[in-house]
Amino acid sequence: MTNKSIIQTEDAPKAIGTYSQAVKVGSTVYLSGQIPLVPETMELVGGDFSAQTRQVFDNLRAVCRAAGGDLNDIVKLNIFMTDLSNFATVNEIMATYFQEPFPARAAIGVAALPKGAEIEMDAVMVAS
């Protein structure tokens, strides 16, 4: 059986389904999708798309830290948006959270996301 560790932190939204915030296998950490929920209230952050995007990065950062890393340890980032015209905004905000070299990334347009969120991200991180 695979030696896996479950990563959990109160600094990110708790799982709202049958999944873990992240799972670590060896030095690889698989982060579940994060939507812009405020961990303390489990409600969507108020504000516009930019506020939602920042909250998602903050949530991902919290899970990365709980796994012994940080956002810059992410090697693959998937971004799901209900409106791909927001892609430039994601790029601008992402540049304030990450340093080069940036992770591999995909941006995918979707019809809907949980709780009416406009953005969700999941990632793969390699812990040092």
Side-chain angles (χ1 to χ4, degrees):
M1 182 166 175
T2 305
N3 184 13
K4 63 182 179 180
S5 302
I6 303 303
I7 307 300
Q8 192 276 331
T9 178
E10 296 297 320
D11 295 329
K14 60 185 168 209
I16 54 175
T18 54
Y19 63 92
S20 300
Q21 288 173 330
V23 176
K24 184 175 184 180
V25 179
S27 62
T28 304
V29 181
Y30 301 90
L31 290 87
S32 291
Q34 287 287 335
I35 60 173
L37 293 176
V38 176
E40 297 80 15
T41 64
M42 291 299 290
E43 297 294 329
L44 285 178
V45 68
D48 60 4
F49 181 81
S50 294
Q52 286 198 21
T53 302
R54 285 186 189 88
Q55 185 66 54
V56 170
F57 280 126
D58 290 345
N59 293 344
L60 283 176
R61 177 188 285 151
V63 178
C64 286
R65 288 181 175 166
D70 209 333
L71 288 175
N72 285 309
D73 296 313
I74 289 175
V75 296
K76 177 68 166 99
L77 180 68
N78 293 316
I79 303 169
F80 306 91
M81 293 177 280
T82 57
D83 184 351
L84 287 175
S85 71
N86 288 317
F87 191 68
T89 301
V90 170
N91 277 336
E92 290 170 19
I93 295 169
M94 186 173 168
T96 68
Y97 281 86
F98 288 82
Q99 297 172 347
E100 292 188 45
F102 300 119
R105 183 179 77 179
I108 302 129
V110 296
L113 291 166
K115 294 192 172 267
E118 296 178 57
I119 186 167
E120 179 174 359
M121 296 181 212
D122 69 8
V124 177
M125 179 184 98
V126 176
S128 20

